[in-house]
Amino acid sequence: MCNNSFINKILIVASVLFLYSCDKDYNSVGGDLLGENHFDLNKEFYDVLAYSQKTGAVQSNNLPINALGIYDNANFGTTTANFATQLTLEALSPTIGKNPVIESVVLTIPYFSTLKSTDEKGDHVYELDSIYGPADAKIKLSVYESKYFMRNLDPVGGFQDAQKYFTDQNTDFDNLKGTVLLNDAADDAQNNAFFFSPAEYKVTTTVDGKETVNRTAPGMRLNLNANFFKTKIIDAATSGKLATNEVFKDYFRGLYFKVEKSGSNAGALAMLDFKKGKITIKYKEDTSDTDATKVEKEIVINMTGNTVSLLSNDFTVNGVDYGAAPNKGDDVNGDKTLYLKGGDGAMAVIELFNKTDVKGYDANGNLTGPNGISDELDDLRNPQSGTRKLINEANLVFHIDEIMSKSKEPMRVYLYDLDNNTPLVDFYADATTGSNSKNGQVVFGGLLDNTKAGDGVYKIRITNHVRNLIKDKTAKNVKLGLVVTEDVTDVNFYKLKNAASPLLAVPRSAVMSPLGTVLHGSNKQSVPDAKRLKFEMYYTKSN
């Protein structure tokens, strides 16, 4: 308690000092132009161009979390998320004794969940997180041995770069899956009618008349085919194929999780941390050649190594408009509608200030001809223009299209420097944190605001980015990218399979997200002013 209090005080002091330093920088921008005059706060809207850009297949190997399941979205069709992973032995070269007999083979993967209550018996009630679709929706889940070998390094280029795998490679893995269904239990809830259950798992044991209950938080729990693992693992222990994990990953190349519709069920999709999953083989063996007493032992196989998220989309029933939208929108007039979709989806490209360029300024502030810079930005950079504005705040405000009332809205969108594939300075300047990976960076913004009925908004603060553009006359007015995000703290980028400049990669956090949103765009002819994308500035200037 005392340590936490002390740390909190230190964080408060640090935050104050940080904000003070930011304030000093703020006052220095254009401060020499304003003198002792009185200032009034003003608001002005500047031109902004925005259009959609589909990404196509995108790199999806070794994501921190992965989707598994089927998700029906009224605006983006049906997404099917399969998955493949390598496996590693927790203990190498296991010693197998005489006459081993497998008792059980169980695959477990924890769900993201929150404990809601505990009763007098100690039983828990959990609420699942990151599950999309109806709570009781069922899917057909099939787990197979994967015979597709996932390399660490790419042979193209002489094994210098990490091997990339992409969202559109499901056929490659499906064609090389094993012939034995591993989750072949008689219980349909483990295969043909699988669902993401919020129930905790309980095991009751009795020793010397004393009963003990072990409880485990909700997770996937599948009984796997014992004969397969007897042959694949137990019988192979003396062959040297379990001696190192590199040898083992070539021998047993992993698991392939395949999902399909279960009858007429709508389906559901979960975000899972597969690296916390494992396969536990429990078996008994003789203690010696002469003693028939059995001893219990186990082998644990972890779901670590290379992984890949395998996605496919179907727009034939829902998402027809999105499916028919061009790969690249109108980069001259801007789009009426902006589509953002995670996975192998879509993003928006944002260009600040208008494209009019009929004038410029020389080093002495004298007007010259076109200089390749927006006249709006030129005027802000040069006090000789008469603007003399000191930027207090700059924002991009996106209004959600009303058709999203039919779909689950992403909690957050993320804006970044598209030309350089880096976060914006405003992202780095924001020291605020949240309770999870989606709700930090509160000042930078991008969080869903649906407090006003019928007018959901995403607002992103770009004050420091705009100040730098104005202050540094050599700074390039870069294009910005807008995506949905599963984790705003993840600033890594993943390559597109068919990359074309300037869109070569997208934030990894967008690849992880199964959701999408539809926003009103910037087209002045087709979007009402009240709903149109706004580039707003609050500023002060001399009287």
Side-chain angles (χ1 to χ4, degrees), residues 237-286:
T238 59
S239 67
K241 294 174 182 176
L242 313 185
T244 72
N245 272 318
E246 288 309 307
V247 172
F248 179 69
K249 283 188 285 188
D250 188 34
Y251 165 64
F252 188 2
R253 296 187 170 183
L255 295 180
Y256 169 60
F257 293 74
K258 180 176 181 177
V259 295
E260 301 167 89
K261 288 276 189 178
S262 177
S264 59
N265 281 279
L269 179 147
M271 303 303 299
L272 300 174
D273 185 352
F274 280 91
K275 292 190 182 299
K276 292 182 179 178
K278 62 182 179 180
I279 300 169
T280 303
I281 304 171
K282 291 188 176 182
Y283 65 99
K284 290 183 177 181
E285 62 183 31
D286 293 343

Short mmCIF file of all heavy atoms in Angstrom, two decimals, residues 237-286:
data_model
loop_
_atom_site.label_atom_id
_atom_site.label_comp_id
_atom_site.label_asym_id
_atom_site.label_seq_id
_atom_site.Cartn_x
_atom_site.Cartn_y
_atom_site.Cartn_z
N ALA A 237 9.77 -41.91 -28.55
CA ALA A 237 10.70 -41.37 -27.55
C ALA A 237 12.12 -41.87 -27.71
O ALA A 237 13.08 -41.17 -27.39
CB ALA A 237 10.18 -41.69 -26.15
N THR A 238 12.28 -43.09 -28.21
CA THR A 238 13.63 -43.66 -28.34
C THR A 238 14.24 -43.43 -29.71
O THR A 238 15.35 -43.88 -29.98
CB THR A 238 13.58 -45.18 -28.07
OG1 THR A 238 12.69 -45.80 -29.00
CG2 THR A 238 13.13 -45.46 -26.65
N SER A 239 13.53 -42.72 -30.58
CA SER A 239 14.00 -42.54 -31.96
C SER A 239 14.91 -41.34 -32.14
O SER A 239 15.48 -41.15 -33.22
CB SER A 239 12.80 -42.39 -32.90
OG SER A 239 12.12 -41.16 -32.61
N GLY A 240 15.02 -40.49 -31.11
CA GLY A 240 15.79 -39.27 -31.23
C GLY A 240 15.00 -38.09 -31.75
O GLY A 240 15.51 -36.96 -31.82
N LYS A 241 13.74 -38.32 -32.10
CA LYS A 241 12.93 -37.24 -32.67
C LYS A 241 12.39 -36.29 -31.60
O LYS A 241 11.82 -35.25 -31.94
CB LYS A 241 11.77 -37.84 -33.48
CG LYS A 241 12.25 -38.58 -34.71
CD LYS A 241 11.14 -39.30 -35.43
CE LYS A 241 11.67 -40.06 -36.64
NZ LYS A 241 10.63 -40.86 -37.32
N LEU A 242 12.59 -36.65 -30.34
CA LEU A 242 12.18 -35.77 -29.25
C LEU A 242 13.40 -35.20 -28.52
O LEU A 242 13.29 -34.69 -27.42
CB LEU A 242 11.29 -36.52 -28.26
CG LEU A 242 10.14 -37.37 -28.82
CD1 LEU A 242 9.31 -37.94 -27.68
CD2 LEU A 242 9.27 -36.57 -29.77
N ALA A 243 14.56 -35.28 -29.16
CA ALA A 243 15.81 -34.89 -28.49
C ALA A 243 15.99 -33.39 -28.41
O ALA A 243 16.48 -32.86 -27.41
CB ALA A 243 17.00 -35.52 -29.20
N THR A 244 15.61 -32.67 -29.47
CA THR A 244 15.68 -31.21 -29.49
C THR A 244 14.39 -30.69 -30.09
O THR A 244 13.73 -31.39 -30.87
CB THR A 244 16.87 -30.68 -30.31
OG1 THR A 244 16.61 -30.90 -31.70
CG2 THR A 244 18.17 -31.37 -29.91
N ASN A 245 14.07 -29.45 -29.77
CA ASN A 245 12.83 -28.89 -30.33
C ASN A 245 12.95 -28.58 -31.81
O ASN A 245 11.94 -28.57 -32.52
CB ASN A 245 12.41 -27.64 -29.54
CG ASN A 245 11.55 -27.99 -28.34
OD1 ASN A 245 10.66 -28.84 -28.44
ND2 ASN A 245 11.81 -27.36 -27.21
N GLU A 246 14.13 -28.34 -32.29
CA GLU A 246 14.29 -28.11 -33.73
C GLU A 246 13.99 -29.40 -34.50
O GLU A 246 13.32 -29.38 -35.53
CB GLU A 246 15.69 -27.60 -34.04
CG GLU A 246 15.95 -26.17 -33.60
CD GLU A 246 14.88 -25.21 -34.09
OE1 GLU A 246 14.60 -25.20 -35.31
OE2 GLU A 246 14.31 -24.48 -33.26
N VAL A 247 14.49 -30.52 -33.99
CA VAL A 247 14.19 -31.81 -34.61
C VAL A 247 12.71 -32.14 -34.45
O VAL A 247 12.05 -32.61 -35.38
CB VAL A 247 15.07 -32.92 -33.99
CG1 VAL A 247 14.62 -34.30 -34.49
CG2 VAL A 247 16.54 -32.69 -34.32
N PHE A 248 12.17 -31.87 -33.26
CA PHE A 248 10.77 -32.18 -32.97
C PHE A 248 9.83 -31.39 -33.88
O PHE A 248 8.83 -31.92 -34.37
CB PHE A 248 10.48 -31.87 -31.50
CG PHE A 248 9.06 -32.13 -31.10
CD1 PHE A 248 8.55 -33.42 -31.04
CD2 PHE A 248 8.20 -31.08 -30.81
CE1 PHE A 248 7.23 -33.67 -30.67
CE2 PHE A 248 6.89 -31.30 -30.44
CZ PHE A 248 6.40 -32.60 -30.38
N LYS A 249 10.15 -30.10 -34.13
CA LYS A 249 9.27 -29.26 -34.96
C LYS A 249 9.26 -29.70 -36.41
O LYS A 249 8.30 -29.41 -37.14
CB LYS A 249 9.68 -27.78 -34.84
CG LYS A 249 9.22 -27.14 -33.55
CD LYS A 249 9.46 -25.64 -33.51
CE LYS A 249 10.90 -25.30 -33.28
NZ LYS A 249 11.10 -23.84 -33.05
N ASP A 250 10.31 -30.40 -36.83
CA ASP A 250 10.30 -30.95 -38.19
C ASP A 250 9.55 -32.28 -38.21
O ASP A 250 8.86 -32.61 -39.18
CB ASP A 250 11.73 -31.13 -38.68
CG ASP A 250 11.80 -31.53 -40.14
OD1 ASP A 250 10.93 -31.07 -40.92
OD2 ASP A 250 12.70 -32.29 -40.52
N TYR A 251 9.66 -33.03 -37.13
CA TYR A 251 8.99 -34.33 -37.03
C TYR A 251 7.48 -34.17 -36.82
O TYR A 251 6.68 -34.78 -37.52
CB TYR A 251 9.61 -35.12 -35.87
CG TYR A 251 8.81 -36.31 -35.42
CD1 TYR A 251 8.58 -37.39 -36.27
CD2 TYR A 251 8.27 -36.34 -34.13
CE1 TYR A 251 7.83 -38.49 -35.85
CE2 TYR A 251 7.52 -37.43 -33.70
CZ TYR A 251 7.31 -38.50 -34.57
OH TYR A 251 6.56 -39.58 -34.14
N PHE A 252 7.10 -33.36 -35.85
CA PHE A 252 5.68 -33.09 -35.57
C PHE A 252 5.49 -31.60 -35.86
O PHE A 252 5.77 -30.76 -35.02
CB PHE A 252 5.36 -33.42 -34.12
CG PHE A 252 3.89 -33.36 -33.77
CD1 PHE A 252 2.91 -33.07 -34.71
CD2 PHE A 252 3.48 -33.61 -32.47
CE1 PHE A 252 1.57 -33.03 -34.37
CE2 PHE A 252 2.13 -33.57 -32.10
CZ PHE A 252 1.18 -33.28 -33.06
N ARG A 253 5.01 -31.28 -37.05
CA ARG A 253 5.09 -29.91 -37.54
C ARG A 253 4.06 -28.95 -36.96
O ARG A 253 4.05 -27.78 -37.28
CB ARG A 253 5.03 -29.92 -39.07
CG ARG A 253 6.24 -30.65 -39.65
CD ARG A 253 6.35 -30.59 -41.15
NE ARG A 253 7.64 -31.11 -41.58
CZ ARG A 253 8.06 -31.12 -42.83
NH1 ARG A 253 7.27 -30.65 -43.81
NH2 ARG A 253 9.24 -31.61 -43.13
N GLY A 254 3.18 -29.48 -36.12
CA GLY A 254 2.27 -28.58 -35.44
C GLY A 254 0.82 -29.00 -35.55
O GLY A 254 0.49 -30.13 -35.95
N LEU A 255 -0.06 -28.06 -35.20
CA LEU A 255 -1.51 -28.28 -35.25
C LEU A 255 -2.15 -27.27 -36.18
O LEU A 255 -1.70 -26.11 -36.29
CB LEU A 255 -2.12 -28.14 -33.86
CG LEU A 255 -1.72 -29.14 -32.78
CD1 LEU A 255 -2.45 -28.82 -31.48
CD2 LEU A 255 -1.98 -30.58 -33.22
N TYR A 256 -3.21 -27.70 -36.83
CA TYR A 256 -4.01 -26.85 -37.70
C TYR A 256 -5.43 -26.85 -37.16
O TYR A 256 -6.07 -27.91 -37.04
CB TYR A 256 -3.96 -27.37 -39.13
CG TYR A 256 -4.94 -26.74 -40.10
CD1 TYR A 256 -4.91 -25.37 -40.36
CD2 TYR A 256 -5.90 -27.52 -40.76
CE1 TYR A 256 -5.81 -24.80 -41.25
CE2 TYR A 256 -6.79 -26.96 -41.66
CZ TYR A 256 -6.74 -25.60 -41.90
OH TYR A 256 -7.63 -25.03 -42.78
N PHE A 257 -5.94 -25.67 -36.78
CA PHE A 257 -7.30 -25.51 -36.27
C PHE A 257 -8.18 -25.01 -37.40
O PHE A 257 -7.96 -23.91 -37.93
CB PHE A 257 -7.33 -24.49 -35.13
CG PHE A 257 -6.61 -24.93 -33.88
CD1 PHE A 257 -5.23 -24.95 -33.81
CD2 PHE A 257 -7.33 -25.31 -32.76
CE1 PHE A 257 -4.57 -25.34 -32.66
CE2 PHE A 257 -6.69 -25.70 -31.59
CZ PHE A 257 -5.30 -25.72 -31.54
N LYS A 258 -9.17 -25.81 -37.75
CA LYS A 258 -10.07 -25.47 -38.85
C LYS A 258 -11.48 -25.26 -38.31
O LYS A 258 -11.98 -26.07 -37.53
CB LYS A 258 -10.08 -26.58 -39.90
CG LYS A 258 -10.99 -26.31 -41.09
CD LYS A 258 -10.88 -27.40 -42.14
CE LYS A 258 -11.77 -27.11 -43.34
NZ LYS A 258 -11.63 -28.12 -44.40
N VAL A 259 -12.13 -24.16 -38.72
CA VAL A 259 -13.49 -23.89 -38.28
C VAL A 259 -14.42 -23.83 -39.48
O VAL A 259 -14.04 -23.41 -40.57
CB VAL A 259 -13.56 -22.56 -37.48
CG1 VAL A 259 -12.77 -22.67 -36.19
CG2 VAL A 259 -13.08 -21.38 -38.31
N GLU A 260 -15.66 -24.27 -39.25
CA GLU A 260 -16.71 -24.25 -40.27
C GLU A 260 -18.03 -23.94 -39.59
O GLU A 260 -18.16 -24.03 -38.36
CB GLU A 260 -16.79 -25.60 -40.98
CG GLU A 260 -15.51 -26.05 -41.67
CD GLU A 260 -15.55 -27.50 -42.08
OE1 GLU A 260 -16.01 -27.78 -43.19
OE2 GLU A 260 -15.14 -28.35 -41.27
N LYS A 261 -19.02 -23.61 -40.39
CA LYS A 261 -20.36 -23.40 -39.86
C LYS A 261 -20.88 -24.70 -39.24
O LYS A 261 -20.64 -25.79 -39.76
CB LYS A 261 -21.31 -22.96 -40.96
CG LYS A 261 -21.08 -21.53 -41.47
CD LYS A 261 -21.78 -20.52 -40.60
CE LYS A 261 -21.74 -19.14 -41.23
NZ LYS A 261 -22.46 -18.13 -40.42
N SER A 262 -21.60 -24.56 -38.13
CA SER A 262 -22.25 -25.71 -37.50
C SER A 262 -23.73 -25.61 -37.77
O SER A 262 -24.47 -24.90 -37.09
CB SER A 262 -21.97 -25.72 -36.00
OG SER A 262 -22.64 -26.79 -35.38
N GLY A 263 -24.18 -26.28 -38.82
CA GLY A 263 -25.58 -26.20 -39.21
C GLY A 263 -25.95 -24.78 -39.60
O GLY A 263 -25.26 -24.13 -40.37
N SER A 264 -27.06 -24.30 -39.02
CA SER A 264 -27.52 -22.95 -39.35
C SER A 264 -27.06 -21.91 -38.33
O SER A 264 -27.52 -20.78 -38.35
CB SER A 264 -29.06 -22.94 -39.42
OG SER A 264 -29.62 -23.36 -38.17
N ASN A 265 -26.16 -22.28 -37.43
CA ASN A 265 -25.68 -21.36 -36.41
C ASN A 265 -24.94 -20.18 -37.04
O ASN A 265 -24.24 -20.32 -38.05
CB ASN A 265 -24.74 -22.08 -35.45
CG ASN A 265 -25.49 -22.90 -34.43
OD1 ASN A 265 -25.97 -22.39 -33.43
ND2 ASN A 265 -25.62 -24.20 -34.69
N ALA A 266 -25.10 -19.02 -36.41
CA ALA A 266 -24.45 -17.81 -36.93
C ALA A 266 -22.94 -17.87 -36.77
O ALA A 266 -22.20 -17.29 -37.56
CB ALA A 266 -25.00 -16.58 -36.20
N GLY A 267 -22.47 -18.56 -35.74
CA GLY A 267 -21.04 -18.64 -35.52
C GLY A 267 -20.56 -17.60 -34.52
O GLY A 267 -21.23 -16.61 -34.24
N ALA A 268 -19.38 -17.85 -33.98
CA ALA A 268 -18.76 -16.92 -33.05
C ALA A 268 -17.25 -16.99 -33.24
O ALA A 268 -16.71 -17.97 -33.76
CB ALA A 268 -19.13 -17.25 -31.61
N LEU A 269 -16.58 -15.93 -32.82
CA LEU A 269 -15.13 -15.82 -33.00
C LEU A 269 -14.52 -15.33 -31.69
O LEU A 269 -15.06 -14.43 -31.04
CB LEU A 269 -14.82 -14.87 -34.15
CG LEU A 269 -13.36 -14.59 -34.51
CD1 LEU A 269 -13.23 -14.36 -36.03
CD2 LEU A 269 -12.84 -13.37 -33.76
N ALA A 270 -13.38 -15.90 -31.33
CA ALA A 270 -12.69 -15.50 -30.10
C ALA A 270 -11.26 -15.08 -30.41
O ALA A 270 -10.63 -15.62 -31.32
CB ALA A 270 -12.68 -16.65 -29.10
N MET A 271 -10.77 -14.13 -29.63
CA MET A 271 -9.37 -13.77 -29.66
C MET A 271 -8.67 -14.60 -28.59
O MET A 271 -9.09 -14.61 -27.42
CB MET A 271 -9.18 -12.28 -29.38
CG MET A 271 -9.93 -11.38 -30.35
SD MET A 271 -9.51 -11.66 -32.10
CE MET A 271 -7.76 -11.26 -32.11
N LEU A 272 -7.61 -15.31 -28.97
CA LEU A 272 -6.95 -16.25 -28.07
C LEU A 272 -5.44 -16.03 -28.04
O LEU A 272 -4.84 -15.68 -29.06
CB LEU A 272 -7.23 -17.69 -28.50
CG LEU A 272 -8.69 -18.14 -28.56
CD1 LEU A 272 -8.78 -19.53 -29.15
CD2 LEU A 272 -9.32 -18.10 -27.18
N ASP A 273 -4.87 -16.26 -26.87
CA ASP A 273 -3.42 -16.27 -26.73
C ASP A 273 -2.99 -17.74 -26.80
O ASP A 273 -2.88 -18.42 -25.78
CB ASP A 273 -3.01 -15.63 -25.41
CG ASP A 273 -1.49 -15.53 -25.26
OD1 ASP A 273 -0.78 -16.09 -26.12
OD2 ASP A 273 -1.03 -14.90 -24.29
N PHE A 274 -2.77 -18.21 -28.02
CA PHE A 274 -2.46 -19.63 -28.21
C PHE A 274 -1.15 -20.03 -27.55
O PHE A 274 -0.95 -21.20 -27.22
CB PHE A 274 -2.39 -19.95 -29.71
CG PHE A 274 -3.73 -20.15 -30.36
CD1 PHE A 274 -4.42 -19.10 -30.94
CD2 PHE A 274 -4.32 -21.41 -30.39
CE1 PHE A 274 -5.65 -19.28 -31.53
CE2 PHE A 274 -5.55 -21.61 -30.98
CZ PHE A 274 -6.22 -20.54 -31.56
N LYS A 275 -0.24 -19.09 -27.37
CA LYS A 275 1.05 -19.43 -26.77
C LYS A 275 0.91 -19.86 -25.31
O LYS A 275 1.84 -20.43 -24.73
CB LYS A 275 2.02 -18.26 -26.91
CG LYS A 275 2.43 -18.01 -28.36
CD LYS A 275 3.56 -17.03 -28.48
CE LYS A 275 3.91 -16.76 -29.96
NZ LYS A 275 4.33 -17.98 -30.66
N LYS A 276 -0.24 -19.60 -24.70
CA LYS A 276 -0.50 -20.09 -23.36
C LYS A 276 -1.19 -21.45 -23.38
O LYS A 276 -1.51 -22.01 -22.33
CB LYS A 276 -1.35 -19.08 -22.59
CG LYS A 276 -0.62 -17.79 -22.27
CD LYS A 276 -1.48 -16.84 -21.47
CE LYS A 276 -0.70 -15.55 -21.15
NZ LYS A 276 -1.55 -14.58 -20.41
N GLY A 277 -1.41 -21.97 -24.57
CA GLY A 277 -2.04 -23.27 -24.71
C GLY A 277 -1.03 -24.40 -24.58
O GLY A 277 0.18 -24.21 -24.73
N LYS A 278 -1.53 -25.59 -24.30
CA LYS A 278 -0.65 -26.75 -24.18
C LYS A 278 -1.43 -28.04 -24.38
O LYS A 278 -2.67 -28.07 -24.30
CB LYS A 278 0.04 -26.78 -22.82
CG LYS A 278 -0.90 -26.89 -21.64
CD LYS A 278 -0.13 -26.86 -20.32
CE LYS A 278 -1.07 -26.97 -19.12
NZ LYS A 278 -0.34 -26.94 -17.84
N ILE A 279 -0.69 -29.11 -24.64
CA ILE A 279 -1.24 -30.46 -24.72
C ILE A 279 -0.61 -31.25 -23.59
O ILE A 279 0.63 -31.30 -23.48
CB ILE A 279 -0.94 -31.12 -26.06
CG1 ILE A 279 -1.55 -30.32 -27.22
CG2 ILE A 279 -1.46 -32.55 -26.09
CD1 ILE A 279 -1.07 -30.77 -28.59
N THR A 280 -1.43 -31.85 -22.75
CA THR A 280 -0.92 -32.65 -21.64
C THR A 280 -1.26 -34.12 -21.87
O THR A 280 -2.43 -34.49 -21.97
CB THR A 280 -1.54 -32.19 -20.30
OG1 THR A 280 -1.25 -30.79 -20.12
CG2 THR A 280 -0.96 -32.98 -19.14
N ILE A 281 -0.21 -34.92 -22.00
CA ILE A 281 -0.37 -36.37 -22.19
C ILE A 281 -0.13 -37.03 -20.84
O ILE A 281 0.99 -37.01 -20.32
CB ILE A 281 0.62 -36.91 -23.23
CG1 ILE A 281 0.49 -36.16 -24.56
CG2 ILE A 281 0.43 -38.42 -23.43
CD1 ILE A 281 1.59 -36.51 -25.56
N LYS A 282 -1.16 -37.62 -20.27
CA LYS A 282 -1.02 -38.37 -19.02
C LYS A 282 -1.04 -39.85 -19.32
O LYS A 282 -1.91 -40.34 -20.05
CB LYS A 282 -2.14 -37.99 -18.05
CG LYS A 282 -2.03 -36.56 -17.53
CD LYS A 282 -3.02 -36.29 -16.42
CE LYS A 282 -2.81 -34.88 -15.86
NZ LYS A 282 -3.72 -34.58 -14.73
N TYR A 283 -0.04 -40.56 -18.76
CA TYR A 283 0.06 -41.99 -19.03
C TYR A 283 0.59 -42.72 -17.79
O TYR A 283 1.12 -42.10 -16.85
CB TYR A 283 0.96 -42.26 -20.24
CG TYR A 283 2.41 -41.87 -20.06
CD1 TYR A 283 3.36 -42.84 -19.74
CD2 TYR A 283 2.83 -40.55 -20.22
CE1 TYR A 283 4.70 -42.50 -19.58
CE2 TYR A 283 4.16 -40.20 -20.06
CZ TYR A 283 5.08 -41.17 -19.73
OH TYR A 283 6.41 -40.84 -19.57
N LYS A 284 0.44 -44.03 -17.80
CA LYS A 284 0.96 -44.87 -16.74
C LYS A 284 1.95 -45.87 -17.33
O LYS A 284 1.80 -46.30 -18.48
CB LYS A 284 -0.17 -45.61 -16.03
CG LYS A 284 -1.07 -44.71 -15.18
CD LYS A 284 -2.12 -45.53 -14.46
CE LYS A 284 -2.98 -44.65 -13.57
NZ LYS A 284 -4.01 -45.44 -12.84
N GLU A 285 2.94 -46.20 -16.55
CA GLU A 285 3.92 -47.20 -16.99
C GLU A 285 4.29 -48.08 -15.82
O GLU A 285 4.08 -47.72 -14.65
CB GLU A 285 5.16 -46.52 -17.56
CG GLU A 285 5.90 -45.66 -16.55
CD GLU A 285 7.08 -44.93 -17.15
OE1 GLU A 285 7.03 -44.59 -18.35
OE2 GLU A 285 8.05 -44.71 -16.42
N ASP A 286 4.83 -49.27 -16.12
CA ASP A 286 5.25 -50.19 -15.07
C ASP A 286 6.47 -49.62 -14.34
O ASP A 286 7.36 -49.02 -14.95
CB ASP A 286 5.62 -51.56 -15.65
CG ASP A 286 4.39 -52.26 -16.23
OD1 ASP A 286 3.26 -51.85 -15.88
OD2 ASP A 286 4.57 -53.20 -17.02
#
